[in-house]
Amino acid sequence: REIKQQEEEPEVDVWELLKNANPSEYEKIAFQYGITDLRGMLKRLKRMRREVKKSAAFAKGLDPAYQVDKGGKVRFMVELADPTVELKWYKNGQEIRPSAKYIFEHKGNQRILFINNCTMTDDARYYVTAGDEKCSTELFVRDPPILVTKGLEDTSTYVGERVELSCEVSEDDANVKWFKNGVELNNEPKSRYRIKVEGKKHTLIIEEAAKNDNATYSVMTTGGQSEAKLSVDLRPLKISLALEDQTVRLGQEIHLKCEISENVEGKWYKNGQLVEAGDRVKLYHKGRIHRFVIASAAVDDEGEYMFVPDAYNINIPCKVHVVDPPKLHLDGLGEDNVVTVVAGSKLRLEIPISGEPTPKVMWSKGDKWITDSGRIRAETYPDSSCLVIDTAEREDSGPFRITLKNEAGEDTALINIKVVDVPDPPQAPHVTEVGEDWCVMTWEPPANDGGSPILGYFIERKKKQSSRWMRLNFELCKETTFEPKKMIEGVAYEVRVFAVNAIGISKPSMPSKSFVPLAVTSPPTLLAVDGVTDTSVTMKWRPPDHIGAAGLDGYVVEYCFEGNGFSQGISTDLSEELVEPPFNLEDAERSSLKENLIPKTDEWIVANPELTDKTKFTITGLPTGSKILVRVKAVNAAGASEPRYHPQPILVKEVIEPPKIRLPRHLKQTYTRRVGETVNLVIPFQGRPRAKVSWQKNGSPIDKNQINIRNTENDTIIFIRKAERSHSGEYNMKVEVENLEDKATIDIQIVDRPGPPEVVTIDDVWGENVNLSWKPPKDDGNAAITGYTIQKADKKSMEWFTVIEHYHRTSATINELVIGNEYYFRIFAENMCGLSEDATMTKESAFIAKDGKVYKYPVYDDFDFSEQPLFTQPLVNTFAVAGYNATLNCSVRGNPKPKITWLKNKVIIMNDPRYRMFSNQGVCTLEIRKPSPYDGGTYTCRAVNELGEAEVDCKLEVKGKG
């Protein structure tokens, strides 16, 4: 090969090159120009770059740097400003003395230093001093260029062979660089290329050549370079061991092995697709042997495999056949391989199968083979076989056999098909007991449970006349008895039952016989004695609180004489049946006493053989002086209710009850009605026997043609269909029982609208004013006049306009009349019934003159309004009911306003929260909160001012509730 040596080049200043070069080019420049200490040189270069101060001692200083070839001569020269100054030279801080190597020369102001026969030790920093100043420089000694004395030679070899490329240079251990296609090669431990140096001989070694080693390799020194081509070819390939076809069982190892004559890499293919090494597939290459291993064969591993060596157009094929004995996978069938199907539904039983090649599947039941058509058929797929029964019937139950066969073997199994159905319906249920809104029903389990145990029952009911059934339970009833509730009493119902198993709900049972929920009524209430004679007892009661749909047919009254099982001398208070004894007993003793107090059933006597629909009955034919106990039962279609007992024995003897008039509260004050209204007053009273009632009006007997009076045993009614003013007056009522009597008085006031006022006169006219006066009406309508209404009318139009309403005095001044007009006036009277029908008009008119005259006001004496207290409405005796608020009212006048004080039984009432006192516009009120009998007594209202005092009092009677 041709060796290129470096031609003679002009002197190059390495310092200038380095100063101007990019840092990335420093190493290249150092190699090209033989710089061995690049780092030190760069430090020196950095010092050179510092700015040099201008010197007074040196007219011309040293250059920044000098360079010389090894063995050459270098000249340093400075020029002094003052030639008399002493000069000294230094190398790396050591003073230089004259010698054969170092020669000093003086020329005028110039001072020169020669260094002969330069070596690498002369590569240093030099400086010269003149007095206190110095001047420095750097000397670079450059090695001579390294020449290539023997170049590289072109080489051909085979893949895998050892290759050596060698050259020789002019110096031992010279710095030589190797390149491959222009890219530098490094002698690193992991590199395929190894560089060996033996003196002047340099060798590039490739242990095992490869195709990618085909390239142009070159060597470069500081004084020359050489290159050569390396050609790497393949050896002819021979197959020492070919791949063999294999048949393996599923799960066994697949092991493919081949051997070729060359140690080259290669690739494995399956069915034309590249196979990569992985968790299942392991690929091995050792020398010339290649292996393909799959530890556990799968069905998908079957196919055509081949090995293809890299860089060779050749392949080594083989076939792998994976076989697997047939197998039935029955894990999903559960214990005993039993499959349950609901009758009437479609069964599609899919059995997973495996086997390679795909096995043949055969189904049979007994000695009958199942084909692929019909209601019962078999369907076969690559990985499963399916037994299909389109509409399952109970006759389909039984064992079915499935058999698999292929070249690797066979497998068989029995599968039991169980056809289940909903249960048969139960028999019609029986209703054994009926109540108010409930019943009790029972039934027998169904004869056939459908092949699955009965889980429970659903119950439905409907009204007999309806077609809509209603479910009664949403959770299964586990028993064969049930109690329907919330039915409507008196309505006919039917019930039916459904049986339930795991498959579903049966058809409904036949309906039960219809039934009607009925219940007896609750006991009658408020049983009391209404009257007693020497031979009879009259009882009264109230209807039961709850009657029900069965209605109420009537009542049975029973009685029992005291002494028949009834303890003498013991009185009990029966609340519902009997109220607990009033003395303290333990519960057991109390219960025992009750049983002893209530006579036995067969000792009761029925007083009314036929039911009575009245709530009052008289028991007759009783011996005088005997004592009886009475009870009453309510009866309907469901039977008799629980009895209601009278709490105490009843003495059969007529008792005189003193007369007592219970005058209603609103009649204790004046009873006012308007003319034409109806008067209907009911006044209850007490008194036995045979109370006699009489009425008088204003001390005279009442005219029964005008006023209707109706008397009963307990009350009297006074009735006036259309009231007239003549009916007003004081009505006296008297109730007599033998020698005893009670009286009451009722004030009735019938009121009407008043008549018009009497004469209306114009007393005076002045300016725009008219003074009127009039007299009250003769007829006040039987009620106090509450005011007057005054109207005016212009004489021209005679249209009336109201000037004043509800005016209380009998004289008035009308103001703001129009001057020049002439007026008439009229006045209506007013009471509680309204305005009078007619009005009284002035006979004369009042003319408002245009030229007014000076009116002379009359002189009046001041009226003295002072008045001592006077009660205009007194207190009224009052009856109050315990627990209900009561009020006492009166009215008083007086000036100055009197101070009001309330007293009870002559004791002043103060700071008692039970009393509230009010006074408004002269009306005084005392409110007693929820009084008790203790609050009864005499109450007094006292009014006091500086002119005197007045008192009124009344009696308050408080009666207990009931």
Side-chain angles (χ1 to χ4, degrees):
R1 296 291 293 176
E2 180 183 357
I3 301 175
K4 293 182 180 180
Q5 304 293 350
Q6 184 172 331
E7 297 180 357
E8 194 71 28
E9 294 181 359
E11 187 81 12
V12 176
D13 189 348
V14 178
W15 296 104
E16 289 298 326
L17 281 177
L18 291 172
K19 282 195 292 182
N20 299 324
N22 192 301
S24 62
E25 298 177 352
Y26 284 168
E27 289 189 2
K28 183 177 179 182
I29 295 173
F31 174 78
Q32 186 174 356
Y33 292 98
I35 300 173
T36 56
D37 186 12
L38 177 62
R39 183 174 296 178
M41 191 168 185
L42 290 175
K43 287 183 180 179
R44 291 154 68 186
L45 178 63
K46 187 176 181 181
R47 288 198 301 266
M48 290 168 52
R49 286 178 175 172
R50 294 173 185 168
E51 183 179 356
V52 179
K53 294 181 181 179
K54 193 170 183 181
S55 174
F58 297 98
K60 181 179 180 183
L62 296 172
D63 290 340
Y66 296 84
Q67 68 180 12
V68 63
D69 288 336
K70 184 177 179 182
K73 177 180 178 181
V74 67
R75 174 178 175 268
F76 294 149
M77 187 274 291
V78 295
E79 185 175 343
L80 298 174
D82 183 4
T84 61
V85 176
E86 182 181 3
L87 196 71
K88 292 184 179 180
W89 294 88
Y90 294 88
K91 172 187 177 183
N92 289 337
Q94 298 293 326
E95 185 178 356
I96 301 174
R97 300 294 181 181
S99 64
K101 186 175 181 66
Y102 301 103
I103 299 174
F104 297 95
E105 184 178 325
H106 292 199
K107 287 184 180 181
N109 289 345
Q110 293 181 350
R111 301 292 185 267
I112 301 170
L113 170 65
F114 291 96
I115 304 175
N116 297 319
N117 192 20
C118 290
T119 64
M120 296 306 294
T121 59
D122 294 321
D123 189 289
R125 182 170 182 264
Y126 294 84
Y127 65 87
V128 60
T129 62
D132 293 334
E133 295 189 19
K134 70 177 180 178
C135 179
S136 62
T137 186
E138 295 284 345
L139 176 61
F140 168 59
V141 179
R142 187 174 63 176
D143 278 335
I146 305 298
L147 304 178
V148 179
T149 58
K150 183 180 179 180
L152 300 175
E153 295 181 357
D154 291 341
T155 304
S156 295
T157 186
Y158 291 110
V159 172
E161 294 291 333
R162 177 186 171 94
V163 178
E164 292 186 2
L165 299 176
S166 299
C167 70
E168 292 184 4
V169 295
S170 58
E171 298 286 341
D172 291 340
D173 300 325
N175 188 6
V176 176
K177 291 193 175 185
W178 290 87
F179 297 88
K180 175 185 177 181
N181 291 334
V183 179
E184 184 177 357
L185 298 176
N186 296 319
N187 192 17
E188 296 179 353
K190 295 182 180 180
S191 175
R192 294 182 64 249
Y193 304 97
R194 186 162 58 87
I195 300 172
K196 180 179 179 183
V197 180
E198 295 174 334
K200 296 178 180 180
K201 184 178 181 180
H202 293 255
T203 305
L204 177 65
I205 302 172
I206 304 174
E207 291 294 342
E208 292 183 1
K211 287 289 288 184
N212 57 6
D213 291 328
N214 275 313
T216 299
Y217 292 84
S218 60
V219 64
M220 180 183 293
T221 66
T222 58
Q225 64 181 16
S226 175
E227 64 179 24
K229 289 185 178 180
L230 174 62
S231 177
V232 181
D233 296 321
L234 293 173
R235 289 180 187 274
L237 186 69
K238 295 180 181 180
I239 299 175
S240 303
L241 178 63
L243 296 175
E244 296 179 354
D245 293 344
Q246 293 188 13
T247 298
V248 297
R249 285 203 169 198
L250 190 70
Q252 291 183 345
E253 182 183 67
I254 300 176
H255 191 172
L256 305 179
K257 177 180 179 182
C258 66
E259 184 178 352
I260 55 179
S261 60
E262 297 297 326
N263 182 12
V264 294
E265 298 289 340
K267 295 182 177 59
W268 290 87
Y269 293 85
K270 174 193 172 185
N271 297 330
Q273 300 293 324
L274 179 65
V275 178
E276 301 284 354
D279 294 338
R280 293 186 66 250
V281 179
K282 305 298 182 183
L283 303 180
Y284 300 97
H285 173 210
K286 185 174 182 182
R288 296 177 297 172
I289 298 175
H290 293 265
R291 291 186 300 130
F292 178 100
V293 178
I294 296 177
S296 178
V299 175
D300 293 341
D301 294 330
E302 181 171 322
E304 295 184 357
Y305 290 79
M306 66 179 178
F307 175 74
V308 179
D310 290 347
Y312 287 93
N313 188 17
I314 189 174
N315 61 74
I316 307 170
C318 74
K319 292 183 179 180
V320 175
H321 183 38
V322 180
V323 297
D324 184 23
K327 182 173 178 58
L328 291 164
H329 300 277
L330 304 176
D331 298 339
L333 295 185
E335 190 176 356
D336 298 331
N337 293 344
V338 176
V339 176
T340 302
V341 60
V342 179
S345 63
K346 181 176 181 178
L347 171 65
R348 187 177 182 85
L349 176 61
E350 187 171 355
I351 305 297
I353 62 174
S354 62
E356 187 64 30
T358 303
K360 181 181 179 181
V361 184
M362 294 170 287
W363 285 87
S364 64
K365 181 182 182 187
D367 55 358
K368 182 179 179 181
W369 295 98
I370 297 175
T371 63
D372 58 358
S373 62
R375 185 177 66 85
I376 302 177
R377 62 186 180 275
E379 298 177 357
T380 301
Y381 302 96
D383 58 352
S384 66
S385 181
C386 192
L387 176 65
V388 180
I389 303 178
D390 279 337
T391 304
E393 301 174 357
R394 292 190 181 182
E395 293 74 15
D396 296 332
S397 298
F400 285 72
R401 180 176 294 277
I402 178 173
T403 303
L404 306 181
K405 286 185 180 181
N406 71 357
E407 63 186 59
E410 72 173 61
D411 192 12
T412 184
L414 282 176
I415 299 174
N416 291 311
I417 303 297
K418 181 181 179 182
V419 180
V420 296
D421 201 354
V422 297
D424 291 343
Q427 296 295 320
H430 300 282
V431 178
T432 59
E433 189 176 351
V434 175
E436 177 183 1
D437 62 349
W438 54 270
C439 72
V440 176
M441 56 184 288
T442 61
W443 60 92
E444 294 296 328
N448 188 344
D449 63 3
S452 181
I454 298 296
L455 301 178
Y457 300 90
F458 284 123
I459 294 90
E460 290 185 347
R461 77 163 184 234
K462 77 175 183 69
K463 297 176 183 177
K464 184 178 180 181
Q465 302 302 325
S466 172
S467 61
R468 186 173 67 88
W469 289 91
M470 183 177 69
R471 177 71 55 84
L472 299 182
N473 61 315
F474 294 97
E475 293 185 1
L476 287 176
C477 174
K478 306 295 184 181
E479 308 296 331
T480 56
T481 182
F482 188 76
E483 184 177 334
K485 296 181 179 180
K486 297 183 179 180
M487 292 184 284
I488 302 174
E489 188 178 0
V491 177
Y493 286 90
E494 293 177 348
V495 291
R496 67 182 183 182
V497 182
F498 295 81
V500 181
N501 63 6
I503 309 307
I505 304 175
S506 71
K507 292 182 179 180
S509 68
M510 293 298 293
S512 68
K513 293 181 180 179
S514 63
F515 61 94
V516 179
L518 291 174
V520 298
T521 68
S522 61
T525 58
L526 302 178
L527 177 61
V529 178
D530 189 55
V532 179
T533 68
D534 290 341
T535 59
S536 66
V537 173
T538 301
M539 305 299 296
K540 63 179 180 179
W541 59 89
R542 301 287 294 168
D545 291 333
H546 176 71
I547 295 177
L552 178 63
D553 295 338
Y555 301 93
V556 173
V557 181
E558 298 177 338
Y559 66 94
C560 176
F561 289 103
E562 185 183 38
N564 292 344
F566 199 85
S567 301
Q568 293 287 343
I570 298 179
S571 176
T572 61
D573 184 14
L574 300 165
S575 58
E576 292 298 325
E577 294 185 0
L578 285 174
V579 174
E580 302 295 335
F583 40 84
N584 295 327
L585 294 174
E586 295 296 332
D587 292 343
E589 297 175 357
R590 189 186 301 246
S591 175
S592 175
L593 179 58
K594 270 188 169 185
E595 293 177 358
N596 293 331
L597 293 178
I598 300 174
K600 295 181 173 54
T601 305
D602 56 3
E603 296 172 347
W604 289 95
I605 301 172
V606 177
N608 56 329
E610 295 184 359
L611 296 179
T612 177
D613 58 353
K614 309 292 185 185
T615 56
K616 187 174 182 180
F617 187 80
T618 301
I619 304 172
T620 60
L622 299 174
T624 303
S626 63
K627 289 185 177 181
I628 63 171
L629 185 69
V630 181
R631 69 182 185 185
V632 180
K633 299 177 183 177
V635 180
N636 65 5
S641 70
E642 291 293 324
R644 173 69 67 187
Y645 291 90
H646 188 268
Q648 295 177 351
I650 303 168
L651 178 63
V652 184
K653 184 177 181 180
E654 191 165 16
V655 179
I656 296 177
E657 182 181 1
K660 179 67 176 178
I661 299 174
R662 298 192 174 276
L663 193 65
R665 182 180 300 178
H666 69 282
L667 297 180
K668 294 180 180 179
Q669 299 176 355
T670 301
Y671 181 78
T672 304
R673 280 292 179 269
R674 296 186 180 185
V675 171
E677 291 182 344
T678 299
V679 177
N680 187 17
L681 303 179
V682 179
I683 299 95
F685 61 84
Q686 296 175 346
R688 280 181 177 57
R690 297 172 293 280
K692 181 181 178 182
V693 181
S694 61
W695 284 91
Q696 286 186 341
K697 175 186 175 187
N698 298 328
S700 302
I702 292 178
D703 184 0
K704 294 185 178 180
N705 294 325
Q706 296 184 0
I707 301 174
N708 295 321
I709 303 294
R710 183 175 67 84
N711 299 323
T712 67
E713 294 182 0
N714 301 315
D715 57 32
T716 180
I717 300 174
I718 181 170
F719 179 77
I720 305 174
R721 184 175 301 278
K722 191 172 182 181
E724 299 178 359
R725 289 173 58 178
S726 59
H727 295 145
S728 301
E730 186 179 88
Y731 290 75
N732 300 307
M733 172 185 174
K734 181 169 68 173
V735 179
E736 297 175 299
V737 176
E738 296 186 358
N739 297 327
L740 303 175
E741 66 177 28
D742 191 19
K743 296 181 180 180
T745 300
I746 301 174
D747 288 331
I748 297 179
Q749 181 180 5
I750 308 300
V751 298
D752 197 1
R753 291 195 292 179
E758 292 194 51
V759 180
V760 179
T761 59
I762 299 174
D763 293 341
D764 196 3
V765 179
W766 74 99
E768 301 173 0
N769 308 301
V770 173
N771 191 32
L772 301 176
S773 63
W774 61 91
K775 292 182 179 180
K778 292 182 179 179
D779 183 9
D780 60 2
N782 206 26
I785 299 298
T786 58
Y788 299 92
T789 297
I790 304 171
Q791 294 183 344
K792 69 178 180 181
D794 189 355
K795 184 178 180 182
K796 297 177 182 178
S797 63
M798 288 308 289
E799 293 184 7
W800 293 97
F801 299 94
T802 299
V803 179
I804 301 176
E805 291 182 303
H806 313 304
Y807 191 75
H808 296 285
R809 298 182 183 179
T810 56
S811 63
T813 300
I814 311 302
N815 303 319
E816 298 181 359
L817 298 175
V818 178
I819 295 176
N821 288 356
E822 191 171 356
Y823 292 93
Y824 283 97
F825 300 91
R826 69 181 183 184
I827 301 176
F828 293 87
E830 183 179 7
N831 65 4
M832 61 182 294
C833 295
L835 296 175
S836 59
E837 293 184 2
D838 300 322
T840 302
M841 189 174 71
T842 57
K843 294 181 179 180
E844 300 176 354
S845 62
F847 180 72
I848 309 302
K850 294 184 178 179
D851 296 327
K853 60 181 180 179
V854 178
Y855 178 76
K856 183 177 181 180
Y857 291 91
V859 178
Y860 299 99
D861 295 330
D862 292 336
F863 185 81
D864 185 7
F865 290 93
S866 299
E867 181 182 14
Q868 69 178 14
L870 174 66
F871 282 94
T872 58
Q873 179 67 39
L875 293 173
V876 178
N877 293 339
T878 303
F879 293 87
V881 179
Y884 294 88
N885 290 357
T887 56
L888 303 178
N889 299 285
C890 61
S891 60
V892 65
R893 72 184 184 191
N895 192 24
K897 182 178 179 180
K899 179 180 178 182
I900 305 301
T901 304
W902 287 89
L903 301 91
K904 176 189 175 185
N905 298 329
K906 303 304 181 181
V907 177
I908 296 176
I909 300 173
M910 295 180 62
N911 300 326
D912 192 332
R914 294 183 300 116
Y915 298 91
R916 294 176 63 192
M917 306 171 194
F918 306 94
S919 179
N920 185 20
Q921 300 294 326
V923 177
C924 303
T925 303
L926 174 66
E927 181 182 15
I928 306 170
R929 296 182 177 180
K930 298 182 179 181
S932 64
Y934 170 81
D935 293 313
T938 301
Y939 286 79
T940 303
C941 182
R942 178 186 295 166
V944 179
N945 69 3
E946 61 189 24
L947 299 178
E949 69 177 54
E951 287 184 355
V952 290
D953 51 32
C954 69
K955 290 184 179 181
L956 174 65
E957 182 179 348
V958 181
K959 296 191 175 182
K961 294 182 182 180

